[in-house]
Amino acid sequence: MKKILSAILAAAVMCTSMLALAGCGGSKKGELHMATNAAFEPYEYKEGGEIVGIDAEIAKAICDKLGYTLVIDDMDFDAIITAVTSGKADFGMAGMTVTDERKKSVDFTDSYTTAIQSIIVNDGEDKVKSADDLKTATVGVQLGTTGDIYVSKFEKDGAKIERFNKGADAVLALTQKKVDAVVIDNEPAKKFVEQNKGTKILEEPFENEDYAICLKKGSELTEQFNKALKELKDDGTVKKIIDKYIKA
Ligand code: GLN
């Protein structure tokens, strides 16, 4: 009896120290702050005061794996890279496309999904029927996004670009006929069209992009994130999260 008891006790002691080593409770290593713009459904958006979405869930899974507590900081998309480079946030995740320009100021993890830019127009209006028509149109975009960068190239052709802090404000301007089209990532575009009767997405998609997480240049977290991300891709977690928010 005594032997059994001490065996149980020994096992309990071992478990406790193992839990301590594993960072049980998730907060052993402290918090990691994620900078995002929670107005980009299905990647990050607010639901009942909480920030949910594909990015929020993948970030949580990575932090759980690495033993950190995730804290999400909401800000304008345009402010995310500065938050990361200044150290105010530990990483940025916001349906953010990897670009050479951004790589000059931050490091990116491996990509976790892809996207394409979509053109939203008002039903029954034919000013913009293709990407080429953007060159002579007034186009709404979200400030500092790849949509902004893409259509800004058309300014020399005569395009007028209206830049908004939120995609929803760009779409509102479209429904009010203040802009002829909105260029934004395909999945948020689908959500905006669902929410705004009388708008539609043009068939012709353009600009294929890779989404990734950005971190401070030289951060040792990047390698850890990549390792965790690979495991979450390999065991099907990333796909499961994406499929939960994007129905085929
Ligand atoms: N994918 C686009 C970019 O990186 C838009 C991201 C966003 O608006 N959240 O610029």
Side-chain angles (χ1 to χ4, degrees), residues 40 44 77 94-97 102 117 142 144-146 185 209 211:
F40 207 60
E44 42 268 321
F77 182 79
M96 187 181 282
T97 305
R102 289 173 183 163
Q117 290 295 307
Q142 200 185 345
T145 60
T146 46
D185 305 39
E209 308 185 333
Y211 284 176

Side-chain angles (χ1 to χ4, degrees), residues 10-239:
V13 168
M14 221 171 88
C15 277
T16 324
S17 49
M18 267 164 62
L19 282 176
L21 276 175
C24 180
S27 58
K28 260 273 170 300
K29 291 188 192 163
E31 295 176 341
L32 280 188
H33 283 251
M34 160 175 154
T36 198
N37 173 243
F40 207 60
E41 190 179 351
Y43 297 100
E44 42 268 321
Y45 58 103
K46 288 194 188 124
E47 206 173 68
E50 209 197 327
I51 296 174
V52 296
I54 294 169
D55 291 349
E57 289 204 26
I58 294 177
K60 174 80 168 55
I62 291 174
C63 286
D64 280 352
K65 228 177 217 310
L66 300 177
Y68 289 102
T69 302
L70 172 68
V71 180
I72 303 181
D73 299 335
D74 190 20
M75 60 192 73
D76 287 341
F77 182 79
D78 201 32
I80 295 172
I81 293 207
T82 318
V84 171
T85 55
S86 70
K88 243 179 71 193
D90 299 294
F91 66 99
M93 191 171 189
M96 187 181 282
T97 305
V98 179
T99 71
D100 287 338
E101 192 58 33
R102 289 173 183 163
K103 275 191 195 163
K104 288 180 193 161
S105 31
V106 286
D107 285 344
F108 280 100
T109 61
D110 298 330
S111 175
Y112 59 91
T113 194
T114 58
I116 44 178
Q117 290 295 307
S118 286
I119 304 169
I120 311 176
V121 296
N122 284 317
D123 248 335
E125 293 211 14
D126 57 4
K127 178 138 199 226
V128 177
K129 293 193 292 292
S130 70
D132 212 48
D133 294 335
L134 295 173
K135 292 180 178 164
T136 50
T138 303
V139 189
V141 295
Q142 200 185 345
L143 177 71
T145 60
T146 46
D148 181 1
I149 296 160
Y150 185 79
V151 296
S152 292
K153 290 185 209 147
F154 298 152
E155 273 175 321
K156 62 170 186 344
D157 302 301
K160 221 178 141 260
I161 318 299
E162 301 281 352
R163 298 176 177 86
F164 300 87
N165 271 327
K166 285 193 204 132
D169 294 338
V171 176
L172 181 67
L174 175 69
T175 60
Q176 295 169 340
K177 317 231 157 128
K178 289 177 184 157
V179 299
D180 303 311
V182 169
V183 174
I184 199 156
D185 305 39
N186 56 324
E187 290 302 332
K190 283 189 213 160
K191 295 289 174 196
F192 287 131
V193 166
E194 263 171 47
Q195 292 154 9
N196 291 276
K197 270 204 166 50
T199 61
K200 66 171 185 197
I201 297 173
L202 290 188
E203 290 299 325
E204 175 195 11
F206 62 106
E207 295 291 292
N208 291 296
E209 308 185 333
D210 288 315
Y211 284 176
I213 302 167
C214 71
L215 297 104
K216 198 176 189 146
K217 268 207 167 302
S219 168
E220 69 261 27
L221 272 178
T222 307
E223 205 188 310
Q224 297 174 37
F225 268 48
N226 273 336
K227 192 168 166 286
L229 190 58
K230 185 176 184 312
E231 287 170 15
L232 293 166
K233 279 190 208 167
D234 289 350
D235 73 6
T237 305
V238 167
K239 188 179 181 308

